[in-house]
Amino acid sequence: MALNRVSQLCHDITRLWLQLKMMTDDILQREDGPLCAAEIGSELQKQFAILPGGRGINGSPVIFFPEFPTFNELEEDEIQNVLSYLTSVPSVAASGVGFILVIDRRLDRWAAVRATLLRIAGSFPGNLHLVLVLRPTTLLQRTLSDFLFKYNKDEFKMKVVMLSSVTELHAYIDPGQLTTELGGTQEYCHDSWISHRTAIEAFALMVKTTAQTLQAFGTELAETELPNDGEATTNLLHTHSLKKDKMKEDLQVALSQGGRLLECINEPLQTDPEYSMTHDELENLATVQRLLGQLDETETAFDDFWERHRTKLEQCLQLRHFETHFREVRAQLDVTLERLSGFSEVSVSPVHAEHVLRELSGHEERACDVLDYAISLANEGDRLIENSHYAEDSIRPKCSELREVCEEISSTLRSKKSFLLRAMELHHALDKASRWCEEGIFLLASQPVDRCQSQDGAEAALQELERYLDTAPLHTVTDRSAICCQYEAVLNSQLRDQIDKVFQKQSSVQEMFEKRRISLKKLAAKQTRPVQPVAPRPEVKSPQSSPNQQRKERRNSADNVICKKVESPLHNGGTRHASLSEEEENLAVLRRHVMNELLETERAYVEELLCVLEGYAAEMDNPAMAHLIPSTLLSKKDVLFGNMSEIYQFHKRTFLKELEAYTDCPELVGRCFLERMKDLQIYEAYCQNKPRSESLWRQCSDCAFFQECQKKLEHKLGLDSYLLKPVQRITKYQLLLKEMLKYSKRCNGCDDLQEALSSILGILKAVNDSMHLIAITGYEGNLSELGRLLMQGSFSVWTEHKKGHAKVKDLARFKPMQRHLFLHEKALLFCKRREENGEGYEKAPSYSFKHSLSMSAVGITENAKGDNKKFEIWCNSREEVFIVQAATPEIKTAWVNEIRKVLTQQLKAYRDASQQKSSDSVSPSPTSSSLSPFRSSNQKNQKKQEEKKVEPNPASDTNSSSSPKHKGWNKASLSVDASEENDGYSSGEDPMNSDPDDEVGKKLAPGKYTVVADCEKAGPQELSVKSGDVVQLIKEGEEGQWFVKNLRSSKDGWVAEANLLSLISESKSSQSLSSSDDSVSGNLSTSSSCSETYTSYSDIKP
């Protein structure tokens, strides 16, 4: 059918073109004369021969030769051209009858007449019918002409009639066909005749030119091949339209000129209605009318031909556009179909299923746009077919193909969406059942056993269980085979495993409930036996007696906040063991709950990082989005995102997989953190870059690039919320580890969890410290050369300088300077804190460097002027002293402890170096381990230490100073009476004579110690102490108890040896000082204000 339409269209165009060609050929043939008036205008102006338009009796055209004395002097070409032109003017029919020549020679001689006849006879180009000659009128010439004409008649070779007067001429030609010169009535103006002939011939030439142009253009249109692309078709249509408009303009000009010429010819009739036109005028009128008619027909044929040609080109253009759009939408449909084919609708949890469903909804929204486009294109193809498009056979299959692919995509979307909805339904059912089980376990764990010992308590607990079990049909899944049959289409191995786990969990929980019900029913049915009240045992204060084992067990289990259970009385041993078994099961459930939260949040975190990297970071390299990126953001991807890509790769490829390996043993997950602790330090670089990222974000947050990316990702929150995710994640780990540790107190991995928690907290501290460290300005050296940053904080600082033998206090002595101190392994920096204006990270403070002290030249005095928040830092034998005041005593204690550790490590390194250099020298005695400005001080200390080993002295050293803040006990330093001038100054022998690690295995010895942490008593006979108290260890009792006296409060009581050993072991790292001979640390001398003093190895005199 389409081929028939194409053939019909081609046939119609060809027919119209042939019709146009015939009309133009006719015009060209008719107007193809040998000469025109414009070419021989000068010869015609001589008027030696004219065509006035008259006709003979038989209709022969009359050519009149008026009197022209110089006729014989004319050039032969002139005569030939004029006669040829005059004979071409009449119509072919009139010319076929033959011409009548009227030669007026009445004033001439016979010789001239004879010569004229001979020249005419030799050069007349047309059919000559008759020659009428008005012979000379003079007597002589008339006589000669009569005689000589008869003699020379045969010489002329044409029919010649000699006429004596115009009256005789009227016998041959009607006077109405003759001009007034020949006695006729016809009006003739030669100039007007020439003008009309010139105009008619110019019009004919215009028609001829127009016909030639139309013929050429028609040929071009008919032979044009249709282009293969839309742009070429558009250009061709535009070019042909321009040419067509030019043709139309030429036609309109020709028609306009023909109309004006027609008016000129009809002008005599307008002035004189009775005017009778000559034959030539009538022929001129007919010629112009014929030309105008042919032009009208040509224009009509051309318009029809052009309309068909334009329709053909427009349909070609429509086809090319349709094909182009078809290729585009087909490619989009293929991409959509490929994405849907590769889209996995498998989900592992309700959250994951919802996430997958949101992704599928996003695919569906994007696919809907493509499907709408494809359907509209198919409808457009249908409209083309309805409008009789010549390419119907090409358009119809494409429309069918589009509809088939659209239906396939829609069907795939419906199938996947239905699959996901069914999977979500199953997930929610399983999740609902799992939550019911967990809530049931929490219910079992939260029932206090002590209240269940009574009949009323047991009945209340039993009713609570019964009520909860009544909700099981609404929350649990009952028939496994029915579930598998109902959701068979969506079941995979993971879902089958989840179903098995849920049913197993339900079975376990129901079994636990049944056991609890049995126990509670027994307790509710049991008759409660009255209990004989017993008077409490009097408090024992004797040093020889110790607390009993029952109180110790009660203290160890008092802080069990996990399941909130209380130990049952000793006579109920069987119930207690059952309760502990249930407690372990409950703790295992809680550990799995924390582990699930860790894994789910880890997976979501990895997905969020990938979303940011693909949806934002990768789009910054997309050329299609380049125009949306502001100049301030160009080449700043590393600044904005930091090392997020490195963090993502670590979590995706390594950490998540290793965490999943601990799903079944969550209590051991601490090992995973410990193994990857170095890798987790990548967060430090990210956090250090965060201020720069935050600043860049605030400059560009409103740009179109971020808005477009957020729109594509369908995120409700901006990019800044996702850039904060790594910071939130590293903080979340320590919270999850704390929860896991809380539920794993008696598990194998408890120590690993505690160490992992400490390591994570260490990373957070390092991150926090580094954030402050990078804000230091004005320091000319390299901060990395100062060693690891140990502590940082803000203090009030006074300074003193020693000139000669006098102290010179700073002018600002009573107005402290506010300084931020940075303690490194090799130096202590003093900086001034400066708050910055702005928001977020831009408001973070900066620190202007002011002063630094090398730790190799530093000494400290622990207490300054009796203020428990002040301590002194000095160097160069107290020539420069910095009095530092902390915000709280705890902060001061922590700083003193950390500085002491640095100095002690330096002293140990100095001692080791000295021992290597002097291997032959005798090592110092262990008892000479204290540092003092005077030898007598060391002797006194040694003597007191020896006395303590033999006899306890509860009243000694009641003014001992506080020790650094650690969970433990620290041996108090022995006070030495020294003058104020020597307050805090320290020098002497080597402070360390043995390895500190040897202290761990030693037993406690009676002596005096400083408490560095609060400790509340767990029983009436035990002792409560506060941080900073000085206590005396008096005697070791039974069952690992020590009788201890608080020298500050004068109270005494018992303290467990295990606590003392662990506390002393912990305080060992802060270089605790012992008064016994077995102590590994020397006692450092103090002033009368009881302040402890430590110096660096540079201040030790060999």
Side-chain angles (χ1 to χ4, degrees):
M1 183 175 181
L3 291 176
N4 293 337
R5 291 180 179 175
V6 175
S7 301
Q8 183 64 32
L9 180 61
C10 294
H11 176 73
D12 292 342
I13 292 177
T14 304
R15 178 180 56 80
L16 292 172
W17 176 75
L18 291 176
Q19 181 181 350
L20 176 63
K21 186 175 185 300
M22 290 173 59
M23 291 182 179
T24 53
D25 288 343
D26 182 56
I27 293 174
L28 293 176
Q29 291 173 3
R30 287 177 177 274
E31 306 305 327
D32 192 15
L35 293 173
C36 59
E39 295 176 356
I40 58 172
S42 58
E43 288 89 341
L44 291 175
Q45 288 292 341
K46 293 180 180 180
Q47 297 188 30
F48 60 84
I50 61 175
L51 185 66
R55 292 289 188 271
I57 296 174
N58 60 348
S60 299
V62 177
I63 298 177
F64 176 48
F65 289 85
E67 289 284 353
F68 197 83
T70 59
F71 182 82
N72 293 326
E73 298 177 3
L74 292 173
E75 297 291 337
E76 188 66 29
D77 291 339
E78 291 179 341
I79 297 174
Q80 184 69 34
N81 288 338
V82 171
L83 292 179
S84 297
Y85 176 73
L86 293 179
T87 56
S88 67
V89 171
S91 63
V92 177
S95 299
V97 177
F99 288 90
I100 297 176
L101 303 183
V102 177
I103 303 174
D104 185 7
R105 291 296 183 262
R106 287 177 291 179
L107 301 179
D108 211 343
R109 295 175 297 155
W110 167 251
V113 173
R114 178 176 175 273
T116 299
L117 291 174
L118 290 174
R119 294 192 69 174
I120 291 173
S123 59
F124 192 79
N127 182 14
L128 189 59
H129 173 66
L130 179 64
V131 179
L132 300 175
V133 181
L134 290 175
R135 60 184 178 180
T137 57
T138 61
L139 180 60
L140 177 61
Q141 293 300 323
R142 183 171 57 187
T143 302
L144 288 174
S145 62
D146 289 339
F147 176 74
L148 293 176
F149 175 72
K150 294 178 182 180
Y151 182 75
N152 296 323
K153 182 190 304 186
D154 296 334
E155 184 179 5
F156 301 137
K157 297 181 180 180
M158 55 185 179
K159 185 178 180 180
V160 180
V161 177
M162 288 292 181
L163 302 175
S164 299
S165 64
V166 295
T167 304
E168 295 178 1
L169 178 62
H170 293 167
Y172 294 93
I173 300 174
D174 186 85
Q177 301 296 321
L178 297 174
T179 61
T180 56
E181 296 176 2
L182 299 176
T185 60
Q186 184 180 7
E187 296 181 359
Y188 175 76
C189 178
H190 191 62
D191 292 335
S192 297
W193 184 86
I194 294 176
S195 177
H196 284 175
R197 289 304 306 174
T198 302
I200 291 172
E201 291 171 358
F203 176 62
L205 181 62
M206 178 180 290
V207 172
K208 175 183 177 181
T209 304
T210 302
Q212 289 177 339
T213 307
L214 285 174
Q215 182 177 356
F217 185 49
T219 303
E220 178 184 354
L221 295 184
E223 295 176 355
T224 298
E225 294 184 0
L226 298 178
N228 292 325
D229 61 279
E231 183 178 1
T233 305
T234 302
N235 294 335
L236 181 63
L237 181 60
H238 178 69
T239 302
H240 285 183
S241 297
L242 293 178
K243 290 183 178 180
K244 171 255 181 185
D245 294 339
K246 183 65 171 59
M247 294 294 99
K248 291 289 291 184
E249 290 179 2
D250 293 343
L251 282 172
Q252 292 300 323
V253 170
L255 290 172
S256 177
Q257 185 172 348
R260 289 193 298 271
L261 182 58
L262 195 60
E263 290 178 358
C264 292
I265 295 174
N266 289 324
E267 185 178 357
L269 292 175
Q270 298 296 329
T271 57
D272 185 7
E274 296 181 358
Y275 177 77
S276 177
M277 290 185 176
T278 63
H279 289 282
D280 287 345
E281 289 176 338
L282 292 174
E283 286 186 358
N284 289 341
L285 181 62
T287 299
V288 173
Q289 289 176 343
R290 177 175 54 84
L291 290 175
L292 287 174
Q294 289 180 343
L295 278 179
D296 286 336
E297 293 178 2
T298 302
E299 182 182 20
T300 302
F302 177 75
D303 288 341
D304 194 7
F305 171 72
W306 166 253
E307 187 63 26
R308 297 294 183 92
H309 180 74
R310 184 184 62 80
T311 301
K312 181 180 178 181
L313 286 181
E314 287 180 350
Q315 289 186 348
C316 176
L317 182 60
Q318 291 170 352
L319 178 63
R320 299 298 175 251
H321 286 164
F322 178 81
E323 291 174 344
T324 302
H325 295 159
F326 173 79
R327 288 191 293 270
E328 292 175 356
V329 74
R330 191 66 177 87
Q332 294 178 11
L333 290 173
D334 290 341
V335 171
T336 302
L337 195 58
E338 183 179 357
R339 287 178 179 174
L340 290 178
S341 300
F343 181 82
S344 176
E345 62 272 25
V346 178
S347 55
V348 297
S349 67
V351 176
H352 186 225
E354 292 176 359
H355 176 71
V356 175
L357 184 60
R358 285 195 298 271
E359 287 187 354
L360 182 62
S361 298
H363 285 300
E364 185 178 11
E365 290 181 2
R366 290 188 290 270
C368 284
D369 296 337
V370 180
L371 293 178
D372 292 342
Y373 183 23
I375 295 300
S376 64
L377 185 61
N379 294 335
E380 181 181 349
D382 293 339
R383 286 192 295 271
L384 293 179
I385 295 173
E386 291 175 359
N387 293 330
S388 303
H389 197 284
Y390 69 86
E392 177 183 353
D393 291 342
S394 175
I395 296 173
R396 190 181 298 279
K398 290 181 173 63
C399 295
S400 301
E401 182 180 352
L402 288 177
R403 290 190 171 92
E404 291 175 0
V405 177
C406 289
E407 180 59 29
E408 181 181 359
I409 292 176
S410 300
S411 177
T412 303
L413 281 171
R414 288 193 299 270
S415 174
K416 290 184 177 293
K417 191 170 184 179
S418 175
F419 185 95
L420 272 175
L421 291 175
R422 294 286 292 167
M424 281 185 63
E425 183 180 341
L426 177 58
H427 277 304
H428 284 302
L430 297 177
D431 187 59
K432 188 177 180 181
S434 182
R435 285 199 307 271
W436 184 87
C437 293
E438 292 178 1
E439 291 172 359
I441 293 173
F442 276 107
L443 175 62
L444 293 175
S446 62
Q447 286 185 339
V449 178
D450 56 343
R451 289 193 302 179
C452 295
Q453 301 306 313
S454 65
Q455 186 173 6
D456 293 339
E459 289 178 353
L462 184 59
Q463 291 176 2
E464 188 179 14
L465 292 184
E466 295 292 346
R467 285 194 300 270
Y468 192 79
L469 286 174
D470 290 340
T471 64
L474 300 177
H475 298 85
T476 59
V477 286
T478 55
D479 190 351
R480 187 183 186 283
S481 59
I483 291 292
C484 293
C485 180
Q486 182 180 0
Y487 297 98
E488 183 179 2
V490 299
L491 285 182
N492 52 42
S493 58
Q494 293 177 333
L495 279 175
R496 292 182 185 275
D497 291 341
Q498 290 184 18
I499 292 175
D500 293 339
K501 290 180 180 179
V502 168
F503 273 95
Q504 183 180 359
K505 193 173 186 179
Q506 288 182 169
S507 177
S508 300
V509 171
Q510 289 172 354
E511 183 179 355
M512 293 169 62
F513 266 81
E514 186 62 28
K515 290 180 180 179
R516 178 66 61 87
R517 288 176 61 192
I518 294 173
S519 301
L520 290 175
K521 284 181 179 180
K522 290 179 180 180
L523 290 173
K526 183 177 62 175
Q527 296 295 327
T528 306
R529 189 172 59 185
V531 180
Q532 180 67 31
V534 180
R537 185 176 181 177
E539 185 178 358
V540 180
K541 294 188 178 180
S542 171
Q544 287 77 18
S545 62
S546 62
N548 57 36
Q549 187 66 25
Q550 180 181 353
R551 186 176 68 251
K552 181 178 179 181
E553 292 177 358
R554 185 172 66 253
R555 183 178 68 250
N556 290 337
S557 62
D559 55 352
N560 186 359
V561 297
I562 307 300
C563 299
K564 302 179 182 179
K565 293 188 176 182
V566 181
E567 287 188 5
S568 60
L570 291 177
H571 65 271
N572 240 344
T575 306
R576 178 176 178 273
H577 289 303
S579 175
L580 289 176
S581 177
E582 292 180 5
E583 178 183 339
E584 289 299 327
E585 292 180 1
N586 296 340
L587 290 176
V589 171
L590 294 172
R591 287 194 295 271
R592 287 195 296 270
H593 180 74
V594 176
M595 191 65 193
N596 290 336
E597 182 181 359
L598 174 61
L599 291 175
E600 289 179 5
T601 54
E602 185 72 14
R603 295 187 187 103
Y605 174 58
V606 171
E607 290 294 330
E608 288 170 343
L609 292 183
L610 177 63
C611 190
V612 171
L613 292 174
E614 290 184 349
Y616 287 97
E619 289 297 312
M620 293 183 68
D621 300 326
N622 185 1
M625 300 284 285
H627 66 285
L628 300 177
I629 301 177
S631 58
T632 54
L633 194 60
L634 294 176
S635 304
K636 297 290 183 63
K637 183 168 70 173
D638 293 338
V639 176
L640 184 62
F641 297 97
N643 62 335
M644 182 181 285
S645 177
E646 182 183 1
I647 293 174
Y648 167 74
Q649 295 297 336
F650 164 66
H651 284 271
K652 175 66 175 178
R653 298 179 178 178
T654 305
F655 199 53
L656 177 57
K657 295 180 180 178
E658 294 182 359
L659 286 177
E660 290 173 342
Y662 290 90
T663 303
D664 297 330
C665 47
E667 65 276 2
L668 303 180
V669 76
R671 300 175 184 176
C672 180
F673 281 90
L674 292 176
E675 291 172 358
R676 293 298 171 184
M677 199 56 63
K678 289 185 178 179
D679 295 316
L680 289 171
Q681 292 176 359
I682 58 178
Y683 280 90
E684 185 173 346
Y686 185 86
C687 294
Q688 288 178 356
N689 180 70
K690 196 65 175 70
R692 298 173 60 204
S693 174
E694 181 77 11
S695 177
L696 182 60
W697 163 256
R698 292 190 177 278
Q699 296 178 39
C700 310
S701 59
D702 295 332
C703 71
F705 172 75
F706 291 128
Q707 296 175 0
E708 182 65 22
C709 292
Q710 182 177 350
K711 181 179 178 182
K712 287 183 178 179
L713 295 173
E714 299 178 356
H715 284 175
K716 295 181 179 179
L717 300 177
L719 174 61
D720 55 333
S721 299
Y722 290 91
L723 293 177
L724 197 59
K725 292 292 183 180
V727 182
Q728 296 171 339
R729 189 58 184 169
I730 192 64
T731 308
K732 180 72 173 178
Y733 286 140
Q734 58 101 5
L735 299 176
L736 293 172
L737 286 173
K738 284 181 180 178
E739 287 292 310
M740 187 65 76
L741 181 61
K742 185 169 66 173
Y743 304 141
S744 309
K745 290 295 185 182
R746 292 187 293 273
C747 297
N748 293 333
C750 180
D751 294 337
D752 291 336
L753 286 171
Q754 182 63 57
E755 187 177 354
L757 176 60
S758 301
S759 300
I760 287 291
L761 292 175
I763 289 178
L764 294 177
K765 179 181 180 300
V767 168
N768 182 59
D769 290 344
S770 65
M771 296 293 287
H772 290 274
L773 193 62
I774 61 176
I776 296 178
T777 59
Y779 184 76
E780 297 181 354
N782 188 353
L783 291 173
S784 62
E785 296 177 355
L786 303 181
R788 186 166 55 92
L789 177 64
L790 303 176
M791 301 187 76
Q792 52 86 22
S794 296
F795 297 88
S796 298
V797 179
W798 293 264
T799 60
E800 290 182 356
H801 300 278
K802 184 176 181 181
K803 295 184 179 179
H805 296 284
K807 290 184 178 179
V808 179
K809 295 183 178 180
D810 203 345
L811 293 177
R813 171 65 170 167
F814 299 104
K815 185 178 180 182
M817 298 176 291
Q818 299 302 318
R819 292 291 182 262
H820 200 90
L821 273 58
F822 293 87
L823 176 61
H824 292 262
E825 292 176 326
K826 297 181 181 180
L828 177 64
L829 304 185
F830 291 78
C831 299
K832 185 175 182 180
R833 181 186 177 102
R834 299 184 184 277
E835 295 289 347
E836 300 292 340
N837 296 324
E839 298 180 3
Y841 283 94
E842 294 182 358
K843 199 176 181 180
S846 63
Y847 303 98
S848 300
F849 171 76
K850 295 297 182 182
H851 188 61
S852 67
L853 296 176
S854 174
M855 294 304 293
S856 63
V858 163
I860 63 168
T861 302
E862 189 170 329
N863 285 339
K865 308 306 179 185
D867 191 336
N868 63 353
K869 293 189 292 186
K870 290 183 180 179
F871 64 97
E872 291 182 351
I873 303 174
W874 42 268
C875 61
N876 299 329
S877 300
R878 297 186 66 86
E879 289 185 0
E880 188 175 15
V881 180
F882 296 87
I883 302 173
V884 182
Q885 181 179 15
T888 63
E890 290 77 12
I891 295 177
K892 169 244 181 176
T893 303
W895 272 75
V896 170
N897 178 62
E898 196 66 34
I899 295 175
R900 183 195 296 127
K901 286 172 60 178
V902 174
L903 298 181
T904 310
Q905 290 170 1
Q906 291 180 350
L907 291 171
K908 183 178 183 298
Y910 176 76
R911 178 181 62 79
D912 293 341
S914 299
Q915 287 179 353
Q916 292 178 1
K917 291 182 181 179
S918 57
S919 59
D920 297 334
S921 63
V922 180
S923 300
S925 174
T927 58
S928 61
S929 60
S930 63
L931 297 178
S932 174
F934 304 104
R935 175 66 60 180
S936 60
S937 302
N938 293 331
Q939 294 172 356
K940 291 180 181 180
N941 291 338
Q942 295 172 14
K943 184 177 181 180
K944 290 185 178 181
Q945 292 169 3
E946 294 173 359
E947 292 175 353
K948 289 180 183 179
K949 295 177 64 177
V950 179
E951 181 179 356
N953 185 9
S956 62
D957 291 347
T958 58
N959 296 324
S960 297
S961 62
S962 301
S963 297
K965 185 181 180 181
H966 280 274
K967 290 183 178 180
W969 302 72
N970 192 21
K971 295 298 293 291
S973 61
L974 302 179
S975 73
V976 177
D977 295 333
S979 63
E980 184 177 355
E981 287 78 5
N982 293 312
D983 179 21
Y985 180 75
S986 176
S987 64
E989 289 96 1
D990 189 354
M992 303 191 71
N993 299 308
S994 63
D995 195 334
D997 294 336
D998 295 339
E999 186 178 336
V1000 177
K1002 294 183 180 293
K1003 296 190 66 177
L1004 290 175
K1008 196 166 47 174
Y1009 295 83
T1010 301
V1011 181
V1012 296
D1014 296 345
C1015 181
E1016 298 294 337
K1017 64 181 181 179
Q1021 298 182 15
E1022 295 190 5
L1023 179 66
S1024 296
V1025 292
K1026 300 291 183 181
S1027 176
D1029 291 349
V1030 178
V1031 298
Q1032 182 83 23
L1033 269 65
I1034 298 177
K1035 187 174 182 62
E1036 184 178 6
E1038 298 176 357
E1039 299 179 356
Q1041 300 287 325
W1042 273 84
F1043 192 73
V1044 180
K1045 182 173 183 178
N1046 190 331
L1047 299 181
R1048 176 170 296 179
S1049 63
S1050 299
K1051 294 181 179 180
D1052 53 20
W1054 290 94
V1055 179
E1057 179 183 14
N1059 290 343
L1060 291 175
L1061 286 173
S1062 62
L1063 293 172
I1064 291 176
S1065 175
E1066 289 182 28
S1067 65
K1068 177 192 67 175
S1069 62
S1070 61
Q1071 298 298 329
S1072 63
L1073 306 177
S1074 174
S1075 62
S1076 67
D1077 293 339
D1078 296 333
S1079 175
V1080 298
S1081 300
N1083 177 36
L1084 304 186
S1085 66
T1086 63
S1087 66
S1088 58
S1089 62
C1090 300
S1091 63
E1092 289 193 5
T1093 303
Y1094 296 85
T1095 87
S1096 65
Y1097 66 83
S1098 65
D1099 291 331
I1100 303 302
K1101 296 179 181 180

